[in-house]
């Protein structure tokens, strides 16, 4: 059997701080139309795709921070994207900063949505693994203040039925954690969509800098193979406000192989024709979880209050 989903990894080049939402949405619309003309069912945009990566700055004024957030989705600025996607009959995945009223208070999340070909929001995810720090660290060349500006996502790692298959979302740093893929893998995920903003330079560990692209591919290729799923990873790339960010947006098959990749650090589309049924070849054999996974033998100690912490090594 074949269940083909043609996907466009819609990489963005840098977004300047001064760039307005309408200017950014115009870029997204161009990529969306290019994706449609290449036969895509779905275009995947990066993390925080509507603004510059603002956690690189320390802001004290809440109104300055909140200017980067969307209060509704669609928002007035993103409505043209929804309208055009519906008109073209193409879906999309979009990362954005979400401000909402929930549990009687204002909350802020680093979020992503999956929109189907009819323009309906088919799924939403809020980033769980927030990297960086919460306090100003002036010794850094640039900040990474996700822990200051966002709350930890409270939706788990759900999967969604869309595009004739089972889809999951995660965001940037989530891709480095095996749990991300495994939690979705245990729910039968067939395609994981994710966007990222990854600086080449990691101030606390500069010795990793020359491995940034290697680690990017490594985590997505292993996550795909070990869970028998497609993975589509899409960058906001290039030199944004003086900070170099990696590109290397890729589409990974359930075999772990790369089937499409971007080659620039600018706005670029990489297209792959993905057969969701290829997942079965892995999910029904090597990674048949029901037959071969042995969680009861992993010696897993569930964290509990009062448990003795492991010795420091
Ligand atoms: N946006 C985001 O999550 N970026 C982080 C940078 C951490 S530094 C290694 C990432 O994991 O790519």
């Amino acid at each position: 059997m074949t269940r083909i989903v043609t996907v466009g990894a819609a990489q963005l080049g840098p977004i300047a701080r001064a760039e307005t939402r309408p200017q950014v949405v115009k870029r997204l619309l161009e990529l969306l139309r290019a994706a449609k003309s290449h036969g895509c069912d779905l275009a995947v945009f990066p993390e925080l795709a509507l603004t510059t990566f603002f956690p690189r700055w320390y802001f004290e004024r809440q109104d300055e921070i909140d200017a980067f957030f969307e209060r509704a989705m669609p928002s007035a600025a993103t409505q043209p994207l929804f309208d055009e996607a519906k008109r073209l009959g193409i879906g999309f995945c979009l990362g954005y900063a979400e401000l909402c009223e929930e549990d009687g208070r204002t909350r802020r999340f680093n979020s992503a949505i999956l929109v189907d070909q009819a323009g309906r929001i088919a799924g939403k995810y809020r980033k769980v693994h927030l990297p960086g720090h919460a306090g100003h660290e002036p010794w850094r060349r640039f900040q990474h203040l996700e822990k200051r500006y966002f709350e930890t996502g409270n939706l788990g790692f759900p999967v969604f039925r869309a595009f004739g298959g089972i889809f999951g979302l995660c965001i940037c740093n989530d891709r480095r954690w095996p749990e991300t893929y495994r939690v979705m893998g245990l729910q039968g995920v067939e395609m994981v969509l994710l966007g990222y903003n990854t600086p080449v330079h990691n101030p606390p560990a500069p010795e990793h800098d020359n491995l940034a692209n290697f680690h990017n591919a490594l985590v997505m290729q292993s996550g795909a193979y070990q869970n028998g799923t497609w993975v589509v990873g899409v960058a906001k790339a290039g030199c944004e406000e003086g900070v170099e960010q990696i590109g290397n947006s890729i589409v990974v098959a359930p075999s772990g192989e790369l089937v499409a990749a971007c080659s620039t650090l600018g706005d670029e589309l990489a297209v792959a024709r993905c057969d969701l049924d290829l997942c079965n070849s892995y999910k029904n054999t090597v990674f048949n979880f029901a037959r071969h996974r042995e969680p009861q033998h992993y010696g897993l100690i569930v964290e509990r209050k009062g448990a003795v912490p492991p010795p420091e090594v």
Side-chain angles (χ1 to χ4, degrees), residues 95-259:
Y96 66 104
E98 178 191 9
L99 189 153
C100 61
E101 297 299 323
E102 211 176 76
D103 301 331
R105 62 193 172 94
T106 302
R107 307 187 69 172
R108 296 170 186 82
F109 298 99
N110 186 343
S111 299
I113 45 164
L114 178 62
V115 176
D116 68 17
Q117 284 133 313
R120 288 181 301 243
I121 295 179
K124 178 161 144 182
Y125 168 72
R126 290 169 171 166
K127 187 174 182 178
V128 168
H129 300 101
L130 297 173
H133 48 113
H136 190 207
E137 296 188 3
W139 63 268
R140 291 173 181 253
R141 187 140 56 79
F142 52 89
Q143 305 292 297
H144 198 114
L145 287 160
E146 288 194 59
K147 287 189 194 297
R148 182 178 194 84
Y149 298 141
F150 302 115
E151 283 186 61
T152 306
N154 60 353
L155 302 176
F157 288 102
V159 297
F160 312 102
R161 291 200 171 273
F163 304 96
I166 304 176
F167 280 68
L169 309 177
C170 68
I171 300 176
C172 195
N173 192 261
D174 288 323
R175 77 193 188 287
R176 301 187 192 276
W177 299 87
E179 296 89 337
T180 297
Y181 306 92
R182 182 48 52 93
V183 171
M184 291 191 271
L186 288 168
Q187 300 171 83
V189 76
E190 294 174 313
M191 187 176 279
V192 175
L193 311 176
L194 69 96
Y196 54 90
N197 281 264
T198 298
V200 173
H201 175 56
N202 183 14
E207 65 276 20
H208 303 173
D209 292 0
N210 68 342
L211 299 170
N213 281 321
F214 167 67
H215 288 154
N216 181 55
L218 175 72
V219 292
M220 289 193 269
Q221 291 183 261
S222 48
Y225 171 63
Q226 291 171 343
N227 294 281
T229 180
W230 291 88
V231 174
V232 183
V234 183
K236 173 130 70 55
C239 186
E240 192 179 83
E241 298 292 353
V243 176
E244 306 284 348
Q245 301 200 147
I246 67 164
N248 276 25
S249 302
I250 49 176
V251 180
V252 187
S255 60
E257 294 168 293
L258 298 184
V259 298

